[in-house]
Amino acid sequence: MGKLMPSTLTHVQHVQGVKDTPSQPCHKDVAWLAKLDIQYPIKYAEREIIVRPKPGLERRSLTKINETLFAQSQELIASKDSNLELQKCKPPLVLDVPVFPTAPVNASTMVFGMATTLERLDDSRHHIARWLAHTKAKMFVVIIKPEKGTEASDEQIAVKQGVMRDQGMDITLVRPLTKGELYTESYFSLVRVMYTHRTDASSWFVLMDDDTFFPSMQALLAMLGKYDSKEQYWIGAVSEQWWSVGRYGWMGFGGAGIFLSQGLAAVIDEEYDICITEMHKAAGGDERVMRCVYGHTETKLTYETGLHQMDISGDLSGVYESGRFPLSLHHWKGGDYPVDLMSLISDICGDCLFQRWQFGVDTILSNGYSVVQYPEGEYANGLDFRKAEETWNSVTIEASVNPGTWHSMAPSRPRLELDKQKIQYRLVESASIESGVRQTYVHKGKEDGDPATVLVLYWRRENSTP
């Protein structure tokens, strides 16, 4: 298994002996472009990438390749051109990646829990299946009544449970422990629900929101492998915004995922009734966990920086283009960050999601999120890519030394001006195809009349049929 490198260190791999390969004509089927919301004419280029697992290779934040990624783009006049001859098409590129499991890992030591409505659960089920299905991990969901609308019937709950089990998830949907309880009460009750239904294998109990996403179960298991589940551990992440930490406390924020060891879950379950009576003023469910832990144990939060509450707002490109591998992501619903599509690439190259490759001096691929070009290479040559670009909106606290996100996002650097210092092609489409995964990155043009540019990557594993 490839080792995930710490995100805050410099990890640059230089690939030597790679020469820029000549372009040649090739025929391509682009009928699928018709479903994209883009206006013709467009500029189009594509490349096939072959993934080669290499024993002993570690995941790098940035790997430098001494050739260009794409040939010169070609103009497409109309989407009806389903088959065309690209005048310039580069040969397939072979990229080495760490060895990764090709089948779901055994995560039977983990029990997950969330509280949500049946409708919101249905909105999330395909995303949950991306990481939970066929792993032997258990999940319990407390189905709460929506603020507006009617309560789900027993039949509706049973049908939804069956649908998710058919997707390969070991999931159980339950009613709240106390009729009429609030969401925050249901959230805290998950500790009792999960612990009551534990098995001999259950070692870690994970609280999460319905918009929490875990990109890699393998990476979660590797993280938890550092700790003894029989001891009392409360593992999580604080908010990325320092003002939130000051307001709510040094606690595990629920959207990032809260990991309770078997030893700590046993104590919370034992003190459960007392904790409930002490929490009438507590706001969020994660705050209730904090109050119980701090009030009845000597355990303190173990902060894992790979877990992300994602409380920062605005453009989150600086997070996804940092080269740092996230253990969790949050707040993907209703935004521009389709984590299910972004993470499809993991089926081809394991924990290569958001891994970066630099091509020549002016182009960086942040796998599954963007392709970025730096005009004439001038900015790429002078930037420190160990540092995350501060694209997000930061909230400062008066008289605080921390400008807002030092504790969570450092090291970082000032944001660049889009379309001047940085030309960004964002992932708009990703699909599993017969030979592997197709990714489509688009830049919609700098101004009116400037055609959109579409860059397509076809990924497949070595020895698979193109």
Side-chain angles (χ1 to χ4, degrees), residues 173-448:
L173 277 52
V174 299
R175 295 282 189 186
L177 293 183
T178 304
K179 187 174 179 60
E181 68 184 16
L182 301 174
Y183 165 76
T184 56
E185 296 169 326
S186 292
Y187 186 97
F188 182 71
S189 75
L190 284 165
V191 181
R192 168 146 288 184
V193 171
M194 292 188 291
Y195 193 75
T196 299
H197 292 89
R198 70 191 183 279
T199 67
D200 291 341
S202 302
S203 301
W204 296 97
F205 302 86
V206 187
L207 298 162
M208 56 178 286
D209 290 352
D210 62 20
D211 57 349
T212 301
F213 186 83
F214 298 109
S216 169
M217 190 69 86
Q218 172 191 228
L220 286 184
L221 290 171
M223 180 270 287
L224 293 174
K226 300 183 296 184
Y227 307 102
D228 183 351
S229 64
K230 295 179 181 178
E231 302 295 328
Q232 294 183 24
Y233 279 105
W234 173 30
I235 301 170
V238 298
S239 170
E240 288 83 2
Q241 295 282 19
W242 189 240
W243 76 267
S244 292
V245 179
R247 178 174 180 177
Y248 297 106
W250 191 257
M251 68 174 189
F253 280 62
I258 299 173
F259 297 76
L260 305 174
S261 65
Q262 175 188 349
L264 182 59
V267 175
I268 295 177
D269 183 70
E270 184 178 345
E271 303 290 340
Y272 182 83
D273 293 334
I274 298 176
C275 288
I276 287 293
T277 63
E278 297 172 342
M279 291 182 188
H280 60 284
K281 292 183 179 180
D286 45 12
E287 183 181 340
R288 289 171 178 260
V289 174
M290 176 186 70
R291 287 174 178 264
C292 191
V293 173
Y294 282 155
H296 296 274
T297 78
E298 296 182 1
T299 302
K300 302 297 183 290
L301 178 69
T302 297
Y303 181 14
E304 281 283 350
T305 57
L307 300 170
H308 289 284
Q309 170 70 7
M310 300 299 282
D311 273 348
I312 46 181
S313 61
D315 182 2
L316 303 184
S317 295
V319 178
Y320 295 114
E321 294 174 348
S322 68
R324 304 170 190 176
F325 187 83
L327 294 173
S328 67
L329 297 168
H330 184 220
H331 289 321
W332 54 263
K333 286 189 176 182
D336 297 324
Y337 308 98
V339 292
D340 54 337
L341 298 182
M342 292 193 290
S343 67
L344 272 183
I345 192 61
S346 301
D347 295 344
I348 302 301
C349 49
D351 292 332
C352 63
L353 178 64
F354 308 137
Q355 187 172 354
R356 298 179 302 179
W357 283 270
Q358 179 173 334
F359 296 89
V361 297
D362 67 350
T363 302
I364 290 185
L365 165 68
S366 295
N367 198 6
Y369 185 75
S370 70
V371 175
V372 170
Q373 291 180 338
Y374 299 89
E376 300 179 3
E378 56 182 308
Y379 295 103
N381 285 331
L383 290 176
D384 185 348
F385 285 106
R386 295 175 305 170
K387 300 181 178 182
E389 183 186 352
E390 297 166 355
T391 60
W392 54 85
N393 300 329
S394 188
V395 180
T396 58
I397 303 177
E398 186 176 354
S400 175
V401 174
N402 187 338
T405 57
W406 267 1
H407 66 292
S408 58
M409 297 306 302
S412 59
R413 53 183 168 82
R415 75 171 70 195
L416 299 176
E417 184 178 350
L418 281 175
D419 292 334
K420 183 177 180 182
Q421 297 173 304
K422 169 184 178 180
I423 301 173
Q424 184 186 60
Y425 305 78
R426 283 280 300 274
L427 183 85
V428 299
E429 184 263 1
S430 185
S432 295
I433 57 178
E434 185 175 355
S435 59
V437 166
R438 180 186 66 229
Q439 295 176 330
T440 307
Y441 299 87
V442 172
H443 180 272
K444 293 190 176 181
K446 297 180 182 179
E447 54 190 24
D448 292 341

Side-chain angles (χ1 to χ4, degrees), residues 47-98:
R47 186 79 183 271
E48 181 182 6
I49 296 180
I50 301 173
V51 169
R52 180 171 59 192
K54 185 176 181 180
L57 184 66
E58 297 175 334
R59 186 189 191 276
R60 302 284 175 168
S61 170
L62 181 65
T63 300
K64 293 187 176 182
I65 306 293
N66 298 324
E67 71 160 287
T68 56
L69 179 55
F70 295 102
Q72 185 176 354
S73 60
Q74 175 176 328
E75 185 177 81
L76 301 187
I77 303 300
S79 58
K80 64 182 181 181
D81 296 333
S82 59
N83 286 282
L84 73 157
E85 181 177 338
L86 296 176
Q87 299 304 313
K88 294 185 177 180
C89 187
K90 294 175 73 69
L93 174 68
V94 178
L95 293 180
D96 290 330
V97 298

